[in-house]
Amino acid sequence: MLFVLLIHTTVLLTITAQKNLTSSGQASQTGTLNANTNAINAIKPPISNTFQTGSTIYCTHTFGYDDPNPLPAWWMFEFSFESAYITDIQIYYREGQAIRMDGFELYVTNTSTIPPVGYLCYNDTDDGFPNIFQNISCNQLGKYVIYYDTKGSVESRNLGPIVELCYVAINGG
Ligand SMILES: *[C@@H]1O[C@H](CO)[C@@H](O)[C@H](O)[C@H]1NC(C)=O
Ligand SMILES: *[C@@H]1O[C@H](CO)[C@@H](O)[C@H](O)[C@H]1NC(C)=O
Ligand SMILES: *[C@@H]1O[C@H](CO)[C@@H](O)[C@H](O)[C@H]1NC(C)=O
Ligand SMILES: *[C@@H]1O[C@H](CO)[C@@H](O)[C@H](O)[C@H]1NC(C)=O
């Protein structure tokens, strides 16, 4: 009885002890625009929506395969351990670019398969553009977090999907 109680308490403690999990693993993405916009930018401070100051870029930027052959764009974090219990994920997207964030999907999965196969934490289906700060609860066990975008945007021309993440916090235990 006491043993069961102890196990129960340990599990609760593990889950309630919120931690920033991005120190244990690695980030990757679809084609990088250039060497200053690597996937790792999303897990490095500053914690903001600011794209750059001077020539220093703080966000990720995927290459962007435009019409007529747009490709889905994604950013992925892979834990170095088997899996983690992910409670919630905060996303800071590039300021002024909610149009590119529109229609994004966020997953927790056990494989790196694209299109993602796993638990869909969030699907941006609303009319209008999303808020460039998102706090999404997942409460899932998994090895990967995948930000996935299949929706292009019409700006000065037709652009295929592009992902630009300035900061991503993955919290859990
Ligand atoms: C989260 O961890 C990453 C990787 O260690 C680190 O760069 C970042 O500063 C941490 N974020 C916070 C909010 O502590
Ligand atoms: C990942 O695998 C673990 C262990 O089998 C399972 O508990 C969890 O639900 C899986 N997560 C997803 C998102 O499928
Ligand atoms: C997300 O929503 C879009 C628009 O409603 C839909 O086309 C898409 O299939 C949804 N994604 C998933 C994985 O359900
Ligand atoms: C995000 O939401 C969780 C609850 O789902 C809350 O505990 C946390 O404080 C929120 N974080 C931010 C930065 O808003």
Side-chain angles (χ1 to χ4, degrees), residues 62 65 67 70-74 93 97-105 123-130 147-155 158-163:
T62 58
Y65 299 90
D67 279 343
L71 287 177
W74 52 263
Y93 204 83
Q97 294 295 354
I99 188 174
R100 295 181 181 175
M101 191 183 198
D102 197 29
F104 81 94
E105 296 173 4
N123 189 358
D124 176 51
T125 56
D126 294 355
D127 288 341
F129 299 141
Y147 179 107
Y148 186 64
D149 184 12
T150 57
K151 188 171 176 179
S153 53
V154 181
E155 298 173 40
N158 269 8
L159 299 180
I162 292 172
V163 175

Side-chain angles (χ1 to χ4, degrees), residues 134-168:
Q134 297 279 333
N135 185 7
I136 295 168
S137 20
C138 292
N139 298 310
Q140 284 294 312
L141 197 59
K143 185 168 176 64
Y144 301 85
V145 169
I146 305 175
Y147 179 107
Y148 186 64
D149 184 12
T150 57
K151 188 171 176 179
S153 53
V154 181
E155 298 173 40
S156 53
R157 61 198 165 95
N158 269 8
L159 299 180
I162 292 172
V163 175
E164 294 173 282
L165 299 169
C166 297
Y167 190 73
V168 174

Side-chain angles (χ1 to χ4, degrees), residues 23-170:
S23 52
S24 328
Q26 59 183 25
S28 59
Q29 66 187 4
T30 32
T32 295
L33 181 66
N34 65 49
N36 301 318
T37 62
N38 285 330
I40 198 175
N41 285 5
I43 53 172
K44 286 195 309 197
I47 303 170
S48 80
N49 301 93
T50 303
F51 188 71
Q52 72 188 111
T53 37
S55 59
T56 308
I57 296 178
Y58 304 122
C59 309
T60 67
H61 192 314
T62 58
F63 185 76
Y65 299 90
D66 298 348
D67 279 343
N69 297 306
L71 287 177
W74 52 263
W75 177 90
M76 185 185 299
F77 186 81
E78 175 183 358
F79 292 107
S80 51
F81 32 85
E82 206 35 50
S83 60
Y85 187 81
I86 297 152
T87 51
D88 53 272
I89 298 170
Q90 283 94 47
I91 297 173
Y92 296 76
Y93 204 83
R94 179 182 180 176
E95 62 192 348
Q97 294 295 354
I99 188 174
R100 295 181 181 175
M101 191 183 198
D102 197 29
F104 81 94
E105 296 173 4
L106 186 71
Y107 291 84
V108 169
T109 71
N110 281 323
T111 70
S112 57
T113 310
I114 297 290
V117 177
Y119 181 80
L120 181 63
C121 299
Y122 189 79
N123 189 358
D124 176 51
T125 56
D126 294 355
D127 288 341
F129 299 141
N131 195 311
I132 56 168
F133 169 71
Q134 297 279 333
N135 185 7
I136 295 168
S137 20
C138 292
N139 298 310
Q140 284 294 312
L141 197 59
K143 185 168 176 64
Y144 301 85
V145 169
I146 305 175
Y147 179 107
Y148 186 64
D149 184 12
T150 57
K151 188 171 176 179
S153 53
V154 181
E155 298 173 40
S156 53
R157 61 198 165 95
N158 269 8
L159 299 180
I162 292 172
V163 175
E164 294 173 282
L165 299 169
C166 297
Y167 190 73
V168 174
I170 301 172

